[in-house]
DNA sequence: CATAGCTTTCATTATTTATTGAAACTTGAG
DNA sequence: CTCAAGTTTCAATAAATAATGAAAGCTATG
C-alpha cells in the first residue's frame, strides 16, 4: 500500500514534529500514518510505508503503546497483529497531554515538595526556597486545574470550549452563582 | 560563588528536565540557576557555577533570550553583562507555554489548513482529510482557548484557577447567566 | 512436538545534537 | 586610534539518541 503525495506529506510532517511532541521522528511518522489510514496496519506494512526497518517498527509500537495511543487488532484466520489508533483524536490528544504532564511536571513537583519541606540554612537557600515555592504553587495549580478539566463530561467540556471570550463574563457572575446552590 | 547542595540539586534537576521542557540540559541548568540566584549573574559566573565553557554559556544566553526568559542588566562602571530572569515565575511559565505552542502547534495547524483546502482525489485522501479536519479543529480550539486565557486579567485568572471543581457547577448555570446581561 | 510465520531484542552502526575552545569580533576608555 | 575587557562564532570533537538487521523468542497449527 502506498501513500498519496498529500498523505505522505502529512506523515513526514508528523515525523518532523515528532520530537517536539515528546517522541521521535519515526514514532511521529507511525502515529500520523495510523491516524490517516482507515484500515488497521501490520508492522510490515508500516515498515514498508515508511521505509524503516522491521525492528524499528517493533520499538515504535512498544512506545506508542506505552503512550496508550494505539491498539492491537486481530483478523480471524490471520496470525499477524494489526495496529490502529486507540480512540478518537480527542482521546489521543488527552493521552499525550496526560503522559507529558507525567514526564514534564510530576518529577519536578516532587523534587520541589521535598526541597520546600527542608529547612533553609542561609540567605541563598531562603531565597531559592521562595522561588521554588512559587514554581511549586504554579505547577500544582496547573495540575489541579487540568485534572479538573478531565473530570468534566464531554458535553461540559464542549460547552466550556465554546464559551471562548464569554469566560470573562461567566467569571464576573461566579459569586452570584455559587451562592444559589 | 558556589551553590549549596540543595540549590545545586535543584539546578541539576532543571538540567535533567531541560530537554522535556523544550530546551537542552545546559539551558535548563542555566535557567534554574538564574531563577534561584538572587543577584544577576555574569556569563563567567554562570560558566563557573555549572562547569561549562564560556562559549556554551553564550549560546545558552542567546537561546534563553529567544524564549524571552532572561534579561540583561548593567552595573554602572562595569562593562560586563549581568543576566537575570525576565519577570516573575508566572511570566516565565507563560512564555514557555507560548513559545512551545508556536513550535509544537502552529506549524501543524498551518499544514493542516493547507491540506484541508485542497480537494481529495480518492477515498484514502478523503478519509485522511476527515482525520486532519478533526485534528485541526481540536488544535484550533485549544489555541483559541489558550489565547482567551491570556486575555483574562490576573485576578480573573486567579479566580478561575481557584474555582476548581466549581467549574462544573458554573457551567451548568452558564445559559442562565448569559441570558441576564 | 515440530515448524512456519510472525514478533522482539539488542549489539553494532549511523545520525543527530551538544560542547569546547581558539580565533574573530565588539566596544568603551584612555 | 589602540588596547583591554568583554562577547560571539564556529570548526572540530564528544556525547547522546535513533536505526538496523541478524539472532533469539513466541505461538498457533497440523
Amino acid at each position: 500500500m502506498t501513500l498519496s503525495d498529500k498523505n505522505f506529506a502529512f506523515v513526514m510532517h508528523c515525523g518532523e514534529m515528532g520530537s517536539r511532541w515528546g517522541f521521535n521522528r519515526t514514532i511521529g511518522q507511525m502515529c500520523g500514518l495510523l491516524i490517516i489510514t482507515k484500515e488497521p496496519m501490520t508492522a510490515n506494512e508500516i515498515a514498508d510505508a515508511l521505509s524503516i526497518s522491521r525492528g524499528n517498527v517493533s520499538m515504535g509500537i512498544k512506545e506508542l503503546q506505552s503512550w496508550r495511543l494505539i491498539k492491537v487488532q486481530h483478523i480471524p484466520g490471520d496470525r499477524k497483529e494489526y495496529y490502529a489508533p486507540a480512540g478518537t483524536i480527542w482521546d489521543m490528544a488527552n493521552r499525550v497531554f496526560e503522559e507529558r504532564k507525567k514526564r514534564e511536571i510530576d518529577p519536578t513537583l516532587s523534587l520541589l515538595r521535598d526541597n520546600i519541606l527542608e529547612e533553609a540554612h542561609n540567605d541563598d537557600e531562603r531565597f531559592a526556597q521562595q522561588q521554588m515555592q512559587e514554581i511549586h504553587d504554579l505547577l500544582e495549580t496547573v495540575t489541579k486545574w487540568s485534572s479538573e478539566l478531565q473530570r468534566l463530561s464531554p458535553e461540559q467540556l464542549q460547552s466550556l470550549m465554546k464559551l471562548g471570550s464569554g469566560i470573562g463574563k461567566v467569571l464576573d457572575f461566579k459569586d452570584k452563582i455559587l451562592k444559589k446552590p
PDB file of all heavy atoms in Angstrom, chain C residues 12-23:
ATOM      1  P    DT C  12      28.866  -5.719  19.798  1.00  0.00           P
ATOM      2  OP1  DT C  12      29.936  -6.665  19.405  1.00  0.00           O
ATOM      3  OP2  DT C  12      29.065  -4.780  20.923  1.00  0.00           O
ATOM      4  O5'  DT C  12      28.452  -4.899  18.505  1.00  0.00           O
ATOM      5  C5'  DT C  12      28.160  -5.578  17.295  1.00  0.00           C
ATOM      6  C4'  DT C  12      27.694  -4.559  16.268  1.00  0.00           C
ATOM      7  O4'  DT C  12      26.492  -3.910  16.734  1.00  0.00           O
ATOM      8  C3'  DT C  12      28.704  -3.427  15.983  1.00  0.00           C
ATOM      9  O3'  DT C  12      28.989  -3.473  14.588  1.00  0.00           O
ATOM     10  C2'  DT C  12      27.977  -2.159  16.410  1.00  0.00           C
ATOM     11  C1'  DT C  12      26.515  -2.570  16.278  1.00  0.00           C
ATOM     12  N1   DT C  12      25.532  -1.794  17.108  1.00  0.00           N
ATOM     13  C2   DT C  12      24.474  -1.189  16.463  1.00  0.00           C
ATOM     14  O2   DT C  12      24.298  -1.233  15.257  1.00  0.00           O
ATOM     15  N3   DT C  12      23.606  -0.515  17.301  1.00  0.00           N
ATOM     16  C4   DT C  12      23.691  -0.404  18.669  1.00  0.00           C
ATOM     17  O4   DT C  12      22.854   0.229  19.300  1.00  0.00           O
ATOM     18  C5   DT C  12      24.831  -1.060  19.280  1.00  0.00           C
ATOM     19  C7   DT C  12      25.023  -0.989  20.755  1.00  0.00           C
ATOM     20  C6   DT C  12      25.687  -1.717  18.482  1.00  0.00           C
ATOM     21  P    DT C  13      29.943  -2.351  13.929  1.00  0.00           P
ATOM     22  OP1  DT C  13      30.573  -2.963  12.742  1.00  0.00           O
ATOM     23  OP2  DT C  13      30.740  -1.727  15.011  1.00  0.00           O
ATOM     24  O5'  DT C  13      28.899  -1.278  13.403  1.00  0.00           O
ATOM     25  C5'  DT C  13      27.895  -1.675  12.459  1.00  0.00           C
ATOM     26  C4'  DT C  13      27.106  -0.446  12.095  1.00  0.00           C
ATOM     27  O4'  DT C  13      26.313  -0.014  13.222  1.00  0.00           O
ATOM     28  C3'  DT C  13      27.959   0.745  11.680  1.00  0.00           C
ATOM     29  O3'  DT C  13      27.430   1.184  10.433  1.00  0.00           O
ATOM     30  C2'  DT C  13      27.803   1.746  12.819  1.00  0.00           C
ATOM     31  C1'  DT C  13      26.419   1.387  13.354  1.00  0.00           C
ATOM     32  N1   DT C  13      26.115   1.707  14.783  1.00  0.00           N
ATOM     33  C2   DT C  13      24.923   2.298  15.068  1.00  0.00           C
ATOM     34  O2   DT C  13      24.098   2.594  14.224  1.00  0.00           O
ATOM     35  N3   DT C  13      24.705   2.539  16.411  1.00  0.00           N
ATOM     36  C4   DT C  13      25.542   2.247  17.452  1.00  0.00           C
ATOM     37  O4   DT C  13      25.231   2.504  18.609  1.00  0.00           O
ATOM     38  C5   DT C  13      26.796   1.621  17.087  1.00  0.00           C
ATOM     39  C7   DT C  13      27.785   1.271  18.153  1.00  0.00           C
ATOM     40  C6   DT C  13      27.025   1.385  15.783  1.00  0.00           C
ATOM     41  P    DA C  14      27.941   2.514   9.705  1.00  0.00           P
ATOM     42  OP1  DA C  14      27.926   2.250   8.253  1.00  0.00           O
ATOM     43  OP2  DA C  14      29.148   3.012  10.385  1.00  0.00           O
ATOM     44  O5'  DA C  14      26.748   3.510  10.028  1.00  0.00           O
ATOM     45  C5'  DA C  14      25.422   3.120   9.707  1.00  0.00           C
ATOM     46  C4'  DA C  14      24.510   4.286  10.007  1.00  0.00           C
ATOM     47  O4'  DA C  14      24.383   4.453  11.440  1.00  0.00           O
ATOM     48  C3'  DA C  14      25.008   5.623   9.455  1.00  0.00           C
ATOM     49  O3'  DA C  14      23.871   6.237   8.917  1.00  0.00           O
ATOM     50  C2'  DA C  14      25.587   6.334  10.693  1.00  0.00           C
ATOM     51  C1'  DA C  14      24.686   5.793  11.806  1.00  0.00           C
ATOM     52  N9   DA C  14      25.260   5.703  13.150  1.00  0.00           N
ATOM     53  C8   DA C  14      26.462   5.191  13.524  1.00  0.00           C
ATOM     54  N7   DA C  14      26.680   5.217  14.824  1.00  0.00           N
ATOM     55  C5   DA C  14      25.524   5.786  15.334  1.00  0.00           C
ATOM     56  C6   DA C  14      25.117   6.094  16.638  1.00  0.00           C
ATOM     57  N6   DA C  14      25.861   5.864  17.726  1.00  0.00           N
ATOM     58  N1   DA C  14      23.910   6.668  16.806  1.00  0.00           N
ATOM     59  C2   DA C  14      23.155   6.894  15.717  1.00  0.00           C
ATOM     60  N3   DA C  14      23.425   6.648  14.439  1.00  0.00           N
ATOM     61  C4   DA C  14      24.641   6.086  14.314  1.00  0.00           C
ATOM     62  P    DT C  15      23.902   7.675   8.197  1.00  0.00           P
ATOM     63  OP1  DT C  15      22.958   7.661   7.058  1.00  0.00           O
ATOM     64  OP2  DT C  15      25.341   8.032   8.020  1.00  0.00           O
ATOM     65  O5'  DT C  15      23.265   8.598   9.308  1.00  0.00           O
ATOM     66  C5'  DT C  15      22.038   8.184   9.913  1.00  0.00           C
ATOM     67  C4'  DT C  15      21.685   9.176  10.984  1.00  0.00           C
ATOM     68  O4'  DT C  15      22.445   8.931  12.179  1.00  0.00           O
ATOM     69  C3'  DT C  15      21.936  10.622  10.588  1.00  0.00           C
ATOM     70  O3'  DT C  15      20.686  11.263  10.720  1.00  0.00           O
ATOM     71  C2'  DT C  15      23.005  11.098  11.571  1.00  0.00           C
ATOM     72  C1'  DT C  15      22.780  10.173  12.768  1.00  0.00           C
ATOM     73  N1   DT C  15      23.932   9.874  13.653  1.00  0.00           N
ATOM     74  C2   DT C  15      23.759   9.934  15.030  1.00  0.00           C
ATOM     75  O2   DT C  15      22.708  10.241  15.553  1.00  0.00           O
ATOM     76  N3   DT C  15      24.875   9.604  15.772  1.00  0.00           N
ATOM     77  C4   DT C  15      26.109   9.238  15.288  1.00  0.00           C
ATOM     78  O4   DT C  15      27.017   8.972  16.048  1.00  0.00           O
ATOM     79  C5   DT C  15      26.221   9.203  13.851  1.00  0.00           C
ATOM     80  C7   DT C  15      27.525   8.818  13.227  1.00  0.00           C
ATOM     81  C6   DT C  15      25.151   9.513  13.117  1.00  0.00           C
ATOM     82  P    DT C  16      20.457  12.846  10.455  1.00  0.00           P
ATOM     83  OP1  DT C  16      19.094  13.072   9.947  1.00  0.00           O
ATOM     84  OP2  DT C  16      21.647  13.370   9.739  1.00  0.00           O
ATOM     85  O5'  DT C  16      20.501  13.349  11.960  1.00  0.00           O
ATOM     86  C5'  DT C  16      19.668  12.710  12.918  1.00  0.00           C
ATOM     87  C4'  DT C  16      19.932  13.309  14.277  1.00  0.00           C
ATOM     88  O4'  DT C  16      21.215  12.888  14.775  1.00  0.00           O
ATOM     89  C3'  DT C  16      19.928  14.832  14.276  1.00  0.00           C
ATOM     90  O3'  DT C  16      18.975  15.178  15.256  1.00  0.00           O
ATOM     91  C2'  DT C  16      21.380  15.201  14.618  1.00  0.00           C
ATOM     92  C1'  DT C  16      21.841  13.987  15.415  1.00  0.00           C
ATOM     93  N1   DT C  16      23.294  13.637  15.417  1.00  0.00           N
ATOM     94  C2   DT C  16      23.902  13.369  16.637  1.00  0.00           C
ATOM     95  O2   DT C  16      23.328  13.444  17.700  1.00  0.00           O
ATOM     96  N3   DT C  16      25.227  13.017  16.539  1.00  0.00           N
ATOM     97  C4   DT C  16      25.979  12.897  15.392  1.00  0.00           C
ATOM     98  O4   DT C  16      27.151  12.561  15.453  1.00  0.00           O
ATOM     99  C5   DT C  16      25.280  13.187  14.166  1.00  0.00           C
ATOM    100  C7   DT C  16      26.015  13.076  12.870  1.00  0.00           C
ATOM    101  C6   DT C  16      23.986  13.541  14.240  1.00  0.00           C
ATOM    102  P    DT C  17      18.672  16.733  15.614  1.00  0.00           P
ATOM    103  OP1  DT C  17      17.279  16.788  16.099  1.00  0.00           O
ATOM    104  OP2  DT C  17      19.157  17.616  14.521  1.00  0.00           O
ATOM    105  O5'  DT C  17      19.618  16.936  16.878  1.00  0.00           O
ATOM    106  C5'  DT C  17      19.464  16.101  18.019  1.00  0.00           C
ATOM    107  C4'  DT C  17      20.479  16.509  19.055  1.00  0.00           C
ATOM    108  O4'  DT C  17      21.799  16.077  18.661  1.00  0.00           O
ATOM    109  C3'  DT C  17      20.549  18.021  19.268  1.00  0.00           C
ATOM    110  O3'  DT C  17      20.366  18.228  20.648  1.00  0.00           O
ATOM    111  C2'  DT C  17      21.938  18.394  18.742  1.00  0.00           C
ATOM    112  C1'  DT C  17      22.721  17.102  18.956  1.00  0.00           C
ATOM    113  N1   DT C  17      23.894  16.850  18.071  1.00  0.00           N
ATOM    114  C2   DT C  17      25.068  16.371  18.632  1.00  0.00           C
ATOM    115  O2   DT C  17      25.193  16.155  19.825  1.00  0.00           O
ATOM    116  N3   DT C  17      26.088  16.144  17.747  1.00  0.00           N
ATOM    117  C4   DT C  17      26.069  16.352  16.380  1.00  0.00           C
ATOM    118  O4   DT C  17      27.059  16.108  15.698  1.00  0.00           O
ATOM    119  C5   DT C  17      24.816  16.850  15.857  1.00  0.00           C
ATOM    120  C7   DT C  17      24.698  17.105  14.382  1.00  0.00           C
ATOM    121  C6   DT C  17      23.805  17.080  16.710  1.00  0.00           C
ATOM    122  P    DA C  18      20.574  19.606  21.391  1.00  0.00           P
ATOM    123  OP1  DA C  18      19.676  19.635  22.554  1.00  0.00           O
ATOM    124  OP2  DA C  18      20.538  20.664  20.370  1.00  0.00           O
ATOM    125  O5'  DA C  18      22.054  19.450  21.930  1.00  0.00           O
ATOM    126  C5'  DA C  18      22.331  18.418  22.846  1.00  0.00           C
ATOM    127  C4'  DA C  18      23.723  18.575  23.397  1.00  0.00           C
ATOM    128  O4'  DA C  18      24.697  18.367  22.353  1.00  0.00           O
ATOM    129  C3'  DA C  18      24.030  19.928  24.000  1.00  0.00           C
ATOM    130  O3'  DA C  18      24.735  19.647  25.193  1.00  0.00           O
ATOM    131  C2'  DA C  18      24.889  20.617  22.933  1.00  0.00           C
ATOM    132  C1'  DA C  18      25.618  19.440  22.313  1.00  0.00           C
ATOM    133  N9   DA C  18      25.993  19.532  20.903  1.00  0.00           N
ATOM    134  C8   DA C  18      25.225  19.917  19.853  1.00  0.00           C
ATOM    135  N7   DA C  18      25.835  19.850  18.682  1.00  0.00           N
ATOM    136  C5   DA C  18      27.084  19.383  19.003  1.00  0.00           C
ATOM    137  C6   DA C  18      28.214  19.087  18.218  1.00  0.00           C
ATOM    138  N6   DA C  18      28.252  19.226  16.892  1.00  0.00           N
ATOM    139  N1   DA C  18      29.320  18.635  18.845  1.00  0.00           N
ATOM    140  C2   DA C  18      29.283  18.479  20.176  1.00  0.00           C
ATOM    141  N3   DA C  18      28.285  18.719  21.029  1.00  0.00           N
ATOM    142  C4   DA C  18      27.201  19.172  20.357  1.00  0.00           C
ATOM    143  P    DT C  19      25.322  20.773  26.115  1.00  0.00           P
ATOM    144  OP1  DT C  19      25.283  20.289  27.504  1.00  0.00           O
ATOM    145  OP2  DT C  19      24.713  22.071  25.732  1.00  0.00           O
ATOM    146  O5'  DT C  19      26.843  20.804  25.661  1.00  0.00           O
ATOM    147  C5'  DT C  19      27.685  19.707  26.030  1.00  0.00           C
ATOM    148  C4'  DT C  19      29.112  20.056  25.661  1.00  0.00           C
ATOM    149  O4'  DT C  19      29.212  20.163  24.229  1.00  0.00           O
ATOM    150  C3'  DT C  19      29.594  21.389  26.234  1.00  0.00           C
ATOM    151  O3'  DT C  19      30.667  21.078  27.120  1.00  0.00           O
ATOM    152  C2'  DT C  19      30.001  22.225  24.997  1.00  0.00           C
ATOM    153  C1'  DT C  19      30.132  21.180  23.894  1.00  0.00           C
ATOM    154  N1   DT C  19      29.763  21.574  22.493  1.00  0.00           N
ATOM    155  C2   DT C  19      30.654  21.321  21.475  1.00  0.00           C
ATOM    156  O2   DT C  19      31.743  20.806  21.654  1.00  0.00           O
ATOM    157  N3   DT C  19      30.224  21.687  20.215  1.00  0.00           N
ATOM    158  C4   DT C  19      29.014  22.270  19.886  1.00  0.00           C
ATOM    159  O4   DT C  19      28.741  22.546  18.728  1.00  0.00           O
ATOM    160  C5   DT C  19      28.115  22.502  21.010  1.00  0.00           C
ATOM    161  C7   DT C  19      26.787  23.130  20.766  1.00  0.00           C
ATOM    162  C6   DT C  19      28.531  22.154  22.242  1.00  0.00           C
ATOM    163  P    DT C  20      31.468  22.202  27.856  1.00  0.00           P
ATOM    164  OP1  DT C  20      31.976  21.645  29.127  1.00  0.00           O
ATOM    165  OP2  DT C  20      30.674  23.461  27.861  1.00  0.00           O
ATOM    166  O5'  DT C  20      32.684  22.377  26.872  1.00  0.00           O
ATOM    167  C5'  DT C  20      33.420  21.214  26.486  1.00  0.00           C
ATOM    168  C4'  DT C  20      34.485  21.583  25.478  1.00  0.00           C
ATOM    169  O4'  DT C  20      33.846  21.963  24.250  1.00  0.00           O
ATOM    170  C3'  DT C  20      35.361  22.755  25.886  1.00  0.00           C
ATOM    171  O3'  DT C  20      36.708  22.291  25.910  1.00  0.00           O
ATOM    172  C2'  DT C  20      35.161  23.816  24.799  1.00  0.00           C
ATOM    173  C1'  DT C  20      34.571  23.008  23.652  1.00  0.00           C
ATOM    174  N1   DT C  20      33.581  23.667  22.746  1.00  0.00           N
ATOM    175  C2   DT C  20      33.824  23.675  21.394  1.00  0.00           C
ATOM    176  O2   DT C  20      34.821  23.213  20.886  1.00  0.00           O
ATOM    177  N3   DT C  20      32.819  24.264  20.642  1.00  0.00           N
ATOM    178  C4   DT C  20      31.655  24.815  21.099  1.00  0.00           C
ATOM    179  O4   DT C  20      30.831  25.295  20.321  1.00  0.00           O
ATOM    180  C5   DT C  20      31.466  24.766  22.528  1.00  0.00           C
ATOM    181  C7   DT C  20      30.230  25.348  23.125  1.00  0.00           C
ATOM    182  C6   DT C  20      32.423  24.208  23.282  1.00  0.00           C
ATOM    183  P    DG C  21      37.819  23.073  26.734  1.00  0.00           P
ATOM    184  OP1  DG C  21      38.846  22.069  27.084  1.00  0.00           O
ATOM    185  OP2  DG C  21      37.190  23.911  27.767  1.00  0.00           O
ATOM    186  O5'  DG C  21      38.433  24.030  25.609  1.00  0.00           O
ATOM    187  C5'  DG C  21      38.933  23.448  24.421  1.00  0.00           C
ATOM    188  C4'  DG C  21      39.277  24.554  23.435  1.00  0.00           C
ATOM    189  O4'  DG C  21      38.066  25.028  22.785  1.00  0.00           O
ATOM    190  C3'  DG C  21      39.911  25.787  24.082  1.00  0.00           C
ATOM    191  O3'  DG C  21      40.795  26.345  23.120  1.00  0.00           O
ATOM    192  C2'  DG C  21      38.723  26.725  24.264  1.00  0.00           C
ATOM    193  C1'  DG C  21      37.982  26.447  22.965  1.00  0.00           C
ATOM    194  N9   DG C  21      36.589  26.822  22.938  1.00  0.00           N
ATOM    195  C8   DG C  21      35.764  27.120  24.000  1.00  0.00           C
ATOM    196  N7   DG C  21      34.550  27.432  23.632  1.00  0.00           N
ATOM    197  C5   DG C  21      34.569  27.338  22.247  1.00  0.00           C
ATOM    198  C6   DG C  21      33.552  27.572  21.287  1.00  0.00           C
ATOM    199  O6   DG C  21      32.380  27.900  21.481  1.00  0.00           O
ATOM    200  N1   DG C  21      34.009  27.360  19.989  1.00  0.00           N
ATOM    201  C2   DG C  21      35.289  26.983  19.651  1.00  0.00           C
ATOM    202  N2   DG C  21      35.552  26.839  18.357  1.00  0.00           N
ATOM    203  N3   DG C  21      36.246  26.765  20.530  1.00  0.00           N
ATOM    204  C4   DG C  21      35.820  26.963  21.806  1.00  0.00           C
ATOM    205  P    DA C  22      42.211  26.894  23.546  1.00  0.00           P
ATOM    206  OP1  DA C  22      42.995  25.784  24.130  1.00  0.00           O
ATOM    207  OP2  DA C  22      41.973  28.137  24.319  1.00  0.00           O
ATOM    208  O5'  DA C  22      42.845  27.282  22.141  1.00  0.00           O
ATOM    209  C5'  DA C  22      42.556  26.496  20.976  1.00  0.00           C
ATOM    210  C4'  DA C  22      42.164  27.426  19.842  1.00  0.00           C
ATOM    211  O4'  DA C  22      40.750  27.770  19.955  1.00  0.00           O
ATOM    212  C3'  DA C  22      42.923  28.751  19.825  1.00  0.00           C
ATOM    213  O3'  DA C  22      43.145  29.114  18.473  1.00  0.00           O
ATOM    214  C2'  DA C  22      41.954  29.709  20.512  1.00  0.00           C
ATOM    215  C1'  DA C  22      40.628  29.199  19.950  1.00  0.00           C
ATOM    216  N9   DA C  22      39.426  29.546  20.719  1.00  0.00           N
ATOM    217  C8   DA C  22      39.326  29.687  22.083  1.00  0.00           C
ATOM    218  N7   DA C  22      38.100  30.001  22.485  1.00  0.00           N
ATOM    219  C5   DA C  22      37.382  30.067  21.304  1.00  0.00           C
ATOM    220  C6   DA C  22      36.021  30.361  21.045  1.00  0.00           C
ATOM    221  N6   DA C  22      35.129  30.652  21.993  1.00  0.00           N
ATOM    222  N1   DA C  22      35.619  30.354  19.752  1.00  0.00           N
ATOM    223  C2   DA C  22      36.518  30.068  18.800  1.00  0.00           C
ATOM    224  N3   DA C  22      37.802  29.761  18.919  1.00  0.00           N
ATOM    225  C4   DA C  22      38.177  29.793  20.212  1.00  0.00           C
ATOM    226  P    DA C  23      44.067  30.388  18.083  1.00  0.00           P
ATOM    227  OP1  DA C  23      45.212  29.840  17.316  1.00  0.00           O
ATOM    228  OP2  DA C  23      44.282  31.218  19.295  1.00  0.00           O
ATOM    229  O5'  DA C  23      43.132  31.206  17.084  1.00  0.00           O
ATOM    230  C5'  DA C  23      42.385  30.502  16.096  1.00  0.00           C
ATOM    231  C4'  DA C  23      41.312  31.434  15.575  1.00  0.00           C
ATOM    232  O4'  DA C  23      40.254  31.558  16.567  1.00  0.00           O
ATOM    233  C3'  DA C  23      41.808  32.853  15.301  1.00  0.00           C
ATOM    234  O3'  DA C  23      41.166  33.328  14.125  1.00  0.00           O
ATOM    235  C2'  DA C  23      41.354  33.618  16.538  1.00  0.00           C
ATOM    236  C1'  DA C  23      40.028  32.935  16.837  1.00  0.00           C
ATOM    237  N9   DA C  23      39.551  33.052  18.218  1.00  0.00           N
ATOM    238  C8   DA C  23      40.283  32.963  19.375  1.00  0.00           C
ATOM    239  N7   DA C  23      39.573  33.104  20.478  1.00  0.00           N
ATOM    240  C5   DA C  23      38.285  33.293  20.003  1.00  0.00           C
ATOM    241  C6   DA C  23      37.062  33.489  20.665  1.00  0.00           C
ATOM    242  N6   DA C  23      36.940  33.545  22.003  1.00  0.00           N
ATOM    243  N1   DA C  23      35.958  33.643  19.902  1.00  0.00           N
ATOM    244  C2   DA C  23      36.086  33.595  18.566  1.00  0.00           C
ATOM    245  N3   DA C  23      37.178  33.392  17.826  1.00  0.00           N
ATOM    246  C4   DA C  23      38.255  33.252  18.612  1.00  0.00           C
TER     247       DA C  23
END
